[in-house]
Amino acid sequence: MKQLGSSILWCAMAAGLTVPPAFGQGMTNGIMSPPANVRPPGLKNVGIRQNLNQQIPANLMFTDDLGRTVRLGDYFGKRPMILNLVYYNCPMLCSEVLSGLESSLRMMKFDVGKEFDVLTVSFDPRETPEMAAAKKAGLLKRYKRAGAEQGGWPFLVGKQDAIDALTQAAGFQYEYDEQTKQFAHASAIMILTPDGKIAQYYYGIEYPPKDLRLGLVEAGQGKIGNVVDQLLLYCYHYDPEKGKYSAIVMRIVRLAGVATMFFLGILIFWLVRSSPVQGLQGAQRVR
């Protein structure tokens, strides 16, 4: 019971580090958590530092949920990707992150393994491919789309040096607590471009499907999505401080103005073509 209480406390404190309204001006330098000197005890090194446009190292070696040795670069060069860092034995927060992500992806028309991929990596070097496979099986049982089963959503484990290089590149800061034998960490997912550069961060444990779709379309560099997505990207802008898309009012007004002029032009053309004077002139020409 005591351990469960500690787990809940750690998760609540760690999740709180990624709630944007709580820290206001502290986020303008790209750190989605308060400065280290004002963080709660035990969370001095926990948070998310935005490393936008940072290349995720392609040469890092991990082991996938089938026990195969893989390079991160093996997953690059195909489609945009969602990267999330968790540990499979996490008693609370990581499961919420994965559940929230799966729920959002299930509401999207894009399919994992077709328009985009997902890469889940454990930052606990003690975890095994069997643990990764068990976590993956439970999650994909709910997602129920073939592309994820066929390699679109690998779950990886790795050694400490590879984990350190990955988490540093991603700006993911976490800390192990010897007393509770658990990790204190923030909750976030990252969208990567097809070549493995960080394009966007999303915080918390719930991710709006509309924002994820637009983020994937933008990171996909024109390779996925449709005309409507491109129009929405013209009217909405990703705000890295809030970790979501916000409307650009002036662009919406401009687009509405263009659409209004277009339809007025069609209306005027139709009225001229169908006017009584034009009909009378046509009848006179027939005579």
Side-chain angles (χ1 to χ4, degrees), residues 52-56 72 75-83 115-117 190-200 215-221 223:
L52 294 173
N53 207 39
Q54 171 74 41
Q55 176 68 54
I56 296 297
L72 287 188
Y75 303 107
F76 298 162
K78 303 173 186 177
R79 296 172 282 268
M81 176 182 295
I82 294 175
L83 170 66
E115 286 86 4
F116 70 103
D117 294 324
M190 290 134 261
I191 292 184
L192 309 183
T193 63
D195 57 356
K197 290 185 178 179
I198 300 174
Q200 296 179 5
L216 288 166
V217 169
E218 190 167 4
Q221 302 164 345
K223 295 180 180 179

Side-chain angles (χ1 to χ4, degrees), residues 66-129:
L66 296 176
R68 301 173 300 190
T69 300
V70 296
R71 290 172 63 255
L72 287 188
D74 296 340
Y75 303 107
F76 298 162
K78 303 173 186 177
R79 296 172 282 268
M81 176 182 295
I82 294 175
L83 170 66
N84 71 313
L85 299 167
V86 297
Y87 70 107
Y88 306 128
N89 202 35
C90 180
M92 186 174 180
L93 186 57
C94 296
S95 295
E96 293 299 318
V97 170
L98 286 169
S99 178
L101 176 59
E102 183 276 328
S103 178
S104 296
L105 298 185
R106 196 165 4 106
M107 296 173 65
M108 292 171 55
K109 291 185 178 180
F110 284 172
D111 291 326
V112 173
K114 184 178 178 182
E115 286 86 4
F116 70 103
D117 294 324
V118 183
L119 183 62
T120 297
V121 185
S122 169
F123 54 83
D124 184 349
R126 300 167 300 178
E127 295 193 322
T128 65

Side-chain angles (χ1 to χ4, degrees), residues 17 20 35 38 77 99 101 106 134 172 212 226 238 240 255 260-261 279:
L17 289 174
V38 298
S99 178
L101 176 59
R106 196 165 4 106
F172 185 87
L212 282 185
N226 53 37
Y238 173 73
L255 197 60
T260 301
M261 294 298 293

Side-chain angles (χ1 to χ4, degrees), residues 31-286:
I31 302 177
M32 302 306 293
S33 56
N37 61 346
V38 298
R39 297 181 197 176
L43 297 176
K44 299 296 184 183
N45 300 314
V46 178
I48 301 290
R49 177 180 291 276
Q50 288 198 12
N51 290 337
L52 294 173
N53 207 39
Q54 171 74 41
Q55 176 68 54
I56 296 297
N59 61 344
L60 298 179
M61 306 300 293
F62 286 86
T63 303
D64 70 8
D65 47 85
L66 296 176
R68 301 173 300 190
T69 300
V70 296
R71 290 172 63 255
L72 287 188
D74 296 340
Y75 303 107
F76 298 162
K78 303 173 186 177
R79 296 172 282 268
M81 176 182 295
I82 294 175
L83 170 66
N84 71 313
L85 299 167
V86 297
Y87 70 107
Y88 306 128
N89 202 35
C90 180
M92 186 174 180
L93 186 57
C94 296
S95 295
E96 293 299 318
V97 170
L98 286 169
S99 178
L101 176 59
E102 183 276 328
S103 178
S104 296
L105 298 185
R106 196 165 4 106
M107 296 173 65
M108 292 171 55
K109 291 185 178 180
F110 284 172
D111 291 326
V112 173
K114 184 178 178 182
E115 286 86 4
F116 70 103
D117 294 324
V118 183
L119 183 62
T120 297
V121 185
S122 169
F123 54 83
D124 184 349
R126 300 167 300 178
E127 295 193 322
T128 65
E130 291 75 20
M131 296 171 69
K135 181 63 73 172
K136 176 179 179 177
L139 201 69
L140 297 194
K141 186 177 180 180
R142 298 196 301 271
Y143 184 62
K144 295 180 181 177
R145 298 194 197 177
E149 291 277 2
Q150 296 169 2
W153 194 340
F155 281 55
L156 309 184
V157 296
K159 296 181 179 179
Q160 191 66 62
D161 56 347
I163 291 171
D164 288 344
L166 175 58
T167 54
Q168 287 170 17
F172 185 87
Q173 303 168 334
Y174 64 100
E175 192 166 312
Y176 184 71
D177 179 61
E178 288 288 351
Q179 183 176 358
T180 62
K181 306 299 181 184
Q182 296 169 22
F183 289 93
H185 60 94
S187 56
I189 62 174
M190 290 134 261
I191 292 184
L192 309 183
T193 63
D195 57 356
K197 290 185 178 179
I198 300 174
Q200 296 179 5
Y201 288 79
Y202 291 87
Y203 304 96
I205 59 175
E206 295 181 353
Y207 314 103
K210 182 202 76 174
D211 283 9
L212 282 185
R213 180 184 174 99
L214 289 180
L216 288 166
V217 169
E218 190 167 4
Q221 302 164 345
K223 295 180 180 179
I224 62 173
N226 53 37
V227 175
V228 174
D229 293 316
Q230 298 303 323
L231 284 174
L232 286 173
L233 282 175
Y234 178 79
C235 297
Y236 287 81
H237 171 70
Y238 173 73
D239 186 339
E241 292 189 358
K242 296 179 180 178
K244 66 179 184 178
Y245 278 86
S246 301
I248 304 174
V249 176
M250 285 306 299
R251 287 189 178 180
I252 294 176
V253 170
R254 277 191 210 134
L255 197 60
V258 170
T260 301
M261 294 298 293
F262 175 75
F263 286 114
L264 281 176
I266 292 177
L267 178 61
I268 292 171
F269 177 77
W270 179 79
L271 289 173
V272 169
R273 292 279 294 177
S274 60
S275 67
V277 173
Q278 185 178 16
L280 180 59
Q281 289 174 348
Q284 290 174 347
R285 282 199 298 270
V286 170

